[in-house]
């Protein structure tokens, strides 16, 4: 198959959308398919960090997102249109569609191309966080995009329910994969631990973007727990404020590849704070690394964290509950070990290869449906 993936984000961006697009396109190549990625152009300062890929990437003009200049917004236009039509895809794949995706689904309808949309980001929550209003307008826009596709894939049961509740049709569950070779408890590194916990502290880590909606400041009381060192891995527009709010935490900035895997495996507990996760890829990477997880009982974490098995769920944005759950694990090393063993065992079958094949099956199912043209169809 020839697949055109229209992505709202792509490396050098560091986020779940960009990462999953790379992994899926790589998998399509391995399976003998021909993907093309259409994505926003990076800023001039990061163009040398885009890397190389075994598939073509067409960049379209972009502008920085207001109040979050590290994230680029792709601008629909002739370059997107020409790339899509020239590729002559059997399937148009919209990755987290919003601006580029809106043009992509319209063009797919015009050209009678089958189209699949993948929901990955709670854009309505972004509107609430960065603009303070506009959620209803965002959902109306999202309905137009997703209901113009032949199928929408949601990453978690809660996000699927949210989509249906907001009038989006033909929703299917499609979760994310994790690299269980890269993220492995065997990567635990004594030198890393000695550097971060010179006095044998229990290492509590957060890995992810440092942005207001992630609520990383909720780790403030955790930083004050005796015998605990909080480690923050990641970067973003909230970093400066967080360094002031969490003066006892260690901020390591963004880390990638083998270095990130060693950091994950060298932690003792993973604490996630964001209440708006549609999935929670870093939670899954922590589980693969053999870590017990404390996370909000909202969104994607509900599918990933099983209380009493691999971690603890706490009420969203409840700092005291988060601190208490971490404190329980800090004082019970055997509980940490048991949760960690079950964490690893629970994700060993969630490889990118497995979920990539699930995605191909979705493509094939759409193509096998009678009358598929990319037009809105009523689900049977």
């Amino acid at each position: 198959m020839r697949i055109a993936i229209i992505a709202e984000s792509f490396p050098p961006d560091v986020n779940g959308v960009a990462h999953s697009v790379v992994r899926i396109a790589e998998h399509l190549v391995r399976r003998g398919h021909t993907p093309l990625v259409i994505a926003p152009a990076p800023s001039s300062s990061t163009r040398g960090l885009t890397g190389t890929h075994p598939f073509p990437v067409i960049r379209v003009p972009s502008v920085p997102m207001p109040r979050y200049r590290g994230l680029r917004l792709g601008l629909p236009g002739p370059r997107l249109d020409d790339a899509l039509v020239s590729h002559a895809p059997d399937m148009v794949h919209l990755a987290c569609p919003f601006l580029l995706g809106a043009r992509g689904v319209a063009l797919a309808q015009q050209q009678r191309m089958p189209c699949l949309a993948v929901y990955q980001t709670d854009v309505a929550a972004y509107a609430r966080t960065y603009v303070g209003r506009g959620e209803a307008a965002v959902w109306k826009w999202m309905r137009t995009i997703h209901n113009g596709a032949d199928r929408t894939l949601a990453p978690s049961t809660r996000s699927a329910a949210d989509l249906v509740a907001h009038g989006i049709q033909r929703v299917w569950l499609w979760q994310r994969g994790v690299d269980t070779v890269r993220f492995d408890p065997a990567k635990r590194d004594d030198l890393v631990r000695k550097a971060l916990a010179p006095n044998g502290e229990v290492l509590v880590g957060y890995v992810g973007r440092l942005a207001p909606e992630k609520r990383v400041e909720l780790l403030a009381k955790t930083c004050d727990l005796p015998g605990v060192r909080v480690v923050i891995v990641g970067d973003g527009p909230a970093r400066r404020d967080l360094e002031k709010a969490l003066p006892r935490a260690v901020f390591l900035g963004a880390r990638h590849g083998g270095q990130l895997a060693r950091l994950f495996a060298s932690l003792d507990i993973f604490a996630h704070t964001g209440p708006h996760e549609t999935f929670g890829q870093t939670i899954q990477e922590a589980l693969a690394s053999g870590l017990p997880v404390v996370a909000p009982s909202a969104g994607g974490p509900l599918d990933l964290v099983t209380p009493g098995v691999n971690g603890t769920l706490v009420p969203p944005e409840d700092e005291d509950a988060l601190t208490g759950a971490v404190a329980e694990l800090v004082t019970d090393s055997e509980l940490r070990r048991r949760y960690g063993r079950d964490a690893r065992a629970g994700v060993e079958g969630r490889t990118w290869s497995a979920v990539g094949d699930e995605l191909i099956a979705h493509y094939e199912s759409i193509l096998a449906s009678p009358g598929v043209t990319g037009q809105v169809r009523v689900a049977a």
Side-chain angles (χ1 to χ4, degrees):
M1 283 183 285
R2 298 178 65 82
I3 300 102
I5 302 175
I6 301 176
E8 304 288 342
S9 184
F10 193 74
D13 293 347
V14 180
N15 55 54
V17 176
H19 178 69
S20 64
V21 169
V22 171
R23 301 309 298 266
I24 289 304
E26 289 173 342
H27 181 75
L28 291 171
V29 171
R30 286 194 295 270
R31 289 290 190 258
H33 301 291
T34 307
L36 165 74
V37 172
I38 303 170
S43 66
S44 57
S45 62
T46 61
R47 283 173 188 163
L49 305 176
T50 55
T52 59
H53 306 283
F55 48 84
V57 180
I58 301 296
R59 298 287 190 166
V60 301
S62 68
V63 295
M65 177 178 171
R67 300 184 63 185
Y68 193 162
R69 298 187 63 82
L71 185 64
R72 308 289 296 186
L73 300 177
L75 301 177
R79 188 163 176 79
L80 185 156
D81 295 7
D82 292 346
L84 186 62
V85 173
S86 297
H87 191 60
D90 300 297
M91 179 64 59
V92 177
H93 174 133
L94 309 176
C96 192
F98 196 71
L99 293 180
L100 298 183
R103 178 55 187 163
V105 74
L107 195 58
Q109 290 177 330
Q110 293 171 14
Q111 299 290 323
R112 304 180 71 82
M113 299 172 179
C115 183
L116 175 145
V118 178
Y119 176 73
Q120 291 183 252
T121 301
D122 187 348
V123 183
Y126 272 59
R128 182 169 62 250
T129 300
Y130 290 97
V131 182
R133 56 187 171 82
E135 290 180 74
V138 167
W139 277 114
K140 182 178 180 181
W141 183 253
M142 297 287 284
R143 278 194 296 274
T144 299
I145 297 171
H146 284 272
N147 287 343
D150 292 287
R151 184 173 296 192
T152 286
L153 305 184
S156 65
T157 53
R158 182 56 59 91
S159 61
D162 287 344
L163 291 172
V164 171
H166 284 91
I168 292 175
Q169 307 163 9
R170 300 178 296 281
V171 177
W172 296 67
L173 181 65
W174 178 62
Q175 295 179 314
R176 302 291 177 265
V178 63
D179 189 337
T180 54
V181 174
R182 171 174 293 174
F183 298 101
D184 188 320
K187 302 291 178 67
R188 193 172 178 89
D189 190 312
D190 288 340
L191 291 177
V192 171
R193 289 191 56 79
K194 185 176 181 180
L196 295 175
N199 298 311
E201 295 92 341
V202 175
L203 293 178
V204 178
Y206 166 87
V207 179
R209 288 186 302 108
L210 304 185
E213 72 275 8
K214 298 297 184 179
R215 298 304 312 275
V216 181
E217 70 276 6
L218 293 173
L219 291 171
K221 291 183 179 179
T222 298
C223 292
D224 294 331
L225 290 173
V228 167
R229 175 66 53 82
V230 172
V231 179
I232 309 294
V233 181
D235 212 340
R239 178 169 177 173
R240 182 174 297 179
D241 289 339
L242 288 170
E243 288 176 335
K244 295 176 182 177
L246 308 175
R248 298 183 62 183
V250 178
F251 287 80
L252 298 180
R255 294 290 186 269
H256 309 282
Q259 188 179 49
L260 177 61
R262 286 191 297 276
L263 283 168
F264 259 116
S266 299
L267 298 173
D268 296 300
I269 300 166
F270 187 78
H272 193 79
T273 51
H276 304 299
E277 300 298 322
T278 60
F279 184 68
Q281 184 63 16
T282 59
I283 292 175
Q284 191 162 240
E285 290 165 354
L287 296 172
S289 302
L291 300 181
V293 172
V294 178
S297 56
L302 291 169
D303 287 355
L304 297 174
V305 180
T306 303
V309 176
N310 61 7
T312 305
L313 292 172
V314 298
E317 303 184 77
D318 187 330
E319 183 176 7
D320 289 335
L322 175 67
T323 307
V326 172
E328 180 185 15
L329 288 166
V330 167
T331 58
D332 193 336
S333 60
E334 179 52 38
L335 185 62
R336 295 201 305 269
R337 282 191 289 271
R338 177 163 60 83
Y339 281 4
R341 287 194 300 269
D342 289 340
R344 173 69 185 186
V347 300
E348 285 183 331
R350 299 179 190 172
T351 64
W352 278 108
S353 180
V355 301
D357 287 343
E358 289 177 13
L359 177 64
I360 293 170
H362 281 291
Y363 293 160
E364 292 171 342
S365 179
I366 292 172
L367 292 172
S369 299
V372 169
T373 63
Q375 303 293 328
V376 177
R377 298 178 297 109
V378 177

